[in-house]
Amino acid sequence: MSSSVTATATQSRERLYLQIYMGITLAVLLLMLLAGVALRAAQGTLINLPPDLFYQAMSLHGTGMVGIAGLAGVSIMWYFLRRYVALTPGIFLANLLLFTLGVVMILGAILLGGFAGGWTFLYPLPASSMGQWNTHAAAAFIGGLLIIGVGFLLFYLDAGRALLARYGSLGRALGLDQLFSGKVDADHPPTVVASTMVLIINILGTLAGAVILVMSLINLYLPAVTIDPLWAKNLIYFFGHVFINATIYMAVIAVYELLPHYTGRPWKLTRPFLAAWAASTLMVMIVYPHHLLMDMVMPAWMLIMGQIISYLSGLPVLLVTAWGTLVQIYRANVNWEAPARFLVLGVFGWSIGVIPAIVDGTMTINKVMHNTLWVPGHFHFYLLLGLLPMVLGFMLHVTRLPDSRIHPLLERGGFWLFSGSAAAFVVMFLYSGLHSIPRRFAEYLPAWVAQAQLSTLFGTLVLLSLAAFFILLLRRLAQVRMQA
């Protein structure tokens, strides 16, 4: 009796934690989407946003989107991984509390301190503001990122502990023993494989980020302690690239776990699936030099590696996931409720979004396109049509009740409005980049304004379609219950 009561209390507490994660995710997503549309509206001369406020909003939008993507991914990974290993609820809560504290510091740095150095905080910009912000504002921003990183690191370490306790080694959890010898265990959970890959790369990535953040904090208050700029940039982009890619690798767990619920077909483990995740574990950590193709002082072999791996790194997991999704829905009696629609959209948005990324990862093209809107185009493609639909599919599933069928107008009309407007929004980024419109410009030449205005229109439609789903999800969260 006592153990039953304890288990019920634990489940209730975990459900509350997940609700808070989801509520914060929805709120921050909505605010960051509003900020993004405002930036495009300012570039399109539809609203007046002075340059200092523009770059503060740009820093807030970039930092907020990367952070909330990570938080959403953690909630998905935690929700499903706890089915297979014993995670610590207190660590899940600690990550949320540290995230909240870090966000408050970053908001203070930007909104009160005027920090506008971008989410990449490239050295020596935080300490070289030309009077736009002071040292304490830069320190609050960098310190906020560091605290958020500590929270994520605690979560990944706890996941690693749980996987080691259950499987004995990370290699076995990743399925390497099945890949290289013996028979593949079709019942080995894809969630365990994906989670193991994520914690390996993100522990290393977060530690790299912590190193440069601490070094930057020291430099702020002790300017005589300098940092090699190229070394700093390598650490920042290793951390940043790994972290943002890991958000998609966590979100895709929802596809593996939930799509079979709507197709009636299990997602079985195969040797190609294991090989893909093993290959991606290595490649996602060595591909980051494709961000540095404009830095001619980089060792040539690293730039060549960045280009080659750019062609390969996203393909293994993407191919097995896209193929697996096609197998799931081909000639299946699919229950096309909203969660299934969004999950499938997420897979194919991710699949198509890899194409402009590969294009930009080519050296000769990168020299022309890197500082244009082509680059925001490819990562908005990933996030807006890949990650976000997976997150929405997950939330719509776990909050659904037997009598909570979504109105057909929202389920179908809202879905297609989002899909079409989001696709048009990212295409405008790519089209603008193709025509050499630069990124990170607060003020536009007259020839660039029309593209920004069209982007604002499509972004507004994205906001309207998502707002309806967000309101629905917030109402469901207030009903407390969560589905298995």
Side-chain angles (χ1 to χ4, degrees):
M1 181 70 175
S2 176
S3 61
S4 176
V5 171
T6 301
T8 301
T10 300
Q11 291 173 1
S12 178
R13 186 170 65 252
E14 291 178 348
R15 186 166 58 238
L16 175 62
Y17 295 165
L18 182 63
Q19 285 178 284
I20 297 172
Y21 264 81
M22 292 169 63
I24 291 175
T25 297
L26 291 170
V28 175
L29 274 174
L30 182 59
L31 291 173
M32 293 304 101
L33 288 166
L34 281 168
V37 172
L39 291 172
R40 296 301 278 151
Q43 291 170 327
T45 67
L46 298 172
I47 63 173
N48 181 30
L49 201 60
D52 56 343
L53 293 181
F54 179 91
Y55 289 110
Q56 290 170 30
M58 188 187 75
S59 300
L60 181 64
H61 176 68
T63 309
M65 277 301 189
V66 172
I68 206 60
L71 195 75
V74 161
S75 66
I76 293 173
M77 176 174 159
W78 175 84
Y79 182 81
F80 293 113
L81 184 59
R82 68 191 177 120
R83 296 180 174 182
Y84 310 105
V85 298
L87 298 176
T88 308
I91 296 295
F92 188 56
L93 177 62
N95 177 49
L96 180 64
L97 295 176
L98 289 170
F99 182 88
T100 304
L101 175 59
V103 166
V104 170
M105 293 176 64
I106 291 170
L107 287 174
I110 295 173
L111 301 180
L112 301 179
F115 183 83
W119 83 268
T120 51
F121 57 94
L122 284 176
Y123 174 84
L125 184 57
S128 307
S129 67
M130 300 181 67
Q132 293 299 305
W133 60 85
N134 61 34
T135 299
H136 302 310
F141 183 87
I142 292 172
L145 290 178
L146 187 60
I147 288 173
I148 289 172
V150 170
F152 282 113
L153 183 60
L154 288 175
F155 171 77
Y156 294 123
L157 289 173
D158 182 59
R161 173 206 55 79
L163 287 166
L164 288 173
R166 171 68 177 81
Y167 294 98
S169 72
L170 294 181
R172 289 178 63 84
L174 195 59
L176 297 183
D177 57 325
Q178 302 176 51
L179 175 61
F180 295 114
S181 64
K183 183 180 179 181
V184 173
D185 179 3
D187 294 324
H188 187 71
T191 293
V192 168
V193 176
S195 298
T196 305
M197 180 268 204
V198 167
L199 73 90
I200 290 172
I201 65 172
N202 248 355
I203 286 175
L204 295 174
T206 304
L207 288 174
V211 169
I212 188 57
L213 286 167
V214 170
M215 292 168 65
S216 297
L217 279 173
I218 293 171
N219 171 258
L220 284 173
Y221 291 103
L222 297 173
V225 181
T226 60
I227 310 169
D228 179 86
L230 188 61
W231 175 242
K233 193 170 184 180
N234 274 265
L235 284 173
I236 289 170
Y237 276 100
F238 174 73
F239 152 68
H241 180 89
V242 165
F243 187 89
I244 196 61
N245 274 266
T247 63
I248 299 178
Y249 294 135
M250 289 187 286
V252 80
I253 293 172
V255 177
Y256 299 152
E257 290 279 351
L258 297 181
L259 195 56
H261 176 88
Y262 295 93
T263 63
R265 296 174 174 176
W267 196 297
K268 292 290 187 181
L269 210 66
T270 62
R271 187 165 273 109
F273 183 93
L274 293 173
W277 279 95
S280 291
T281 303
L282 175 63
M283 288 194 290
V284 77
M285 292 190 291
I286 62 175
V287 70
Y288 82 91
H290 69 192
H291 293 282
L292 309 175
L293 295 178
M294 299 286 284
D295 295 273
M296 305 308 176
V297 292
M298 283 284 291
W301 68 268
M302 290 188 71
L303 298 181
I304 294 169
M305 177 183 71
Q307 174 172 309
I308 294 172
I309 302 300
S310 290
Y311 297 157
L312 303 175
S313 66
L315 295 179
V317 169
L318 180 57
L319 286 176
V320 296
T321 303
W323 177 257
T325 301
L326 288 172
V327 169
Q328 282 283 314
I329 63 178
Y330 180 66
R331 292 189 175 180
N333 185 22
V334 182
N335 177 8
W336 285 111
E337 291 184 42
R341 293 173 182 269
F342 278 108
L343 291 170
V344 172
L345 172 64
V347 172
F348 291 104
W350 179 27
S351 303
I352 299 170
V354 76
I355 297 172
I358 290 174
V359 169
D360 186 60
T362 304
M363 290 183 184
T364 53
I365 296 175
N366 189 272
K367 290 178 181 179
V368 179
M369 306 282 277
H370 187 75
N371 286 319
T372 72
L373 287 175
W374 183 274
V375 173
H378 93 66
F379 61 70
H380 277 83
F381 216 130
Y382 276 144
L383 296 179
L384 196 57
L385 282 165
L387 173 78
L388 182 56
M390 294 181 196
V391 172
L392 285 175
F394 165 74
M395 290 187 178
L396 288 166
H397 177 87
V398 299
T399 61
R400 74 195 232 289
L401 298 169
D403 58 348
S404 63
R405 178 83 186 198
I406 302 174
H407 192 281
L409 180 61
L410 175 59
E411 186 169 52
R412 297 179 184 176
F415 171 81
W416 287 113
L417 176 61
F418 166 75
S419 303
S421 57
F425 183 74
V426 298
V427 165
M428 284 308 305
F429 270 118
L430 297 172
Y431 176 84
S432 299
L434 189 62
H435 290 80
S436 299
I437 298 178
R439 57 176 172 152
R440 302 196 189 102
F441 271 39
E443 297 180 354
Y444 268 20
L445 295 175
W448 305 340
V449 169
Q451 288 92 327
Q453 290 177 343
L454 272 175
S455 290
T456 305
L457 170 63
F458 295 134
T460 302
L461 293 175
V462 170
L463 267 175
L464 291 174
S465 60
L466 286 178
F469 285 105
F470 284 9
I471 291 170
L472 170 68
L473 284 165
L474 289 170
R475 288 179 60 187
R476 286 182 173 186
L477 286 175
Q479 298 179 33
V480 179
R481 287 183 58 190
M482 293 287 177
Q483 298 298 303

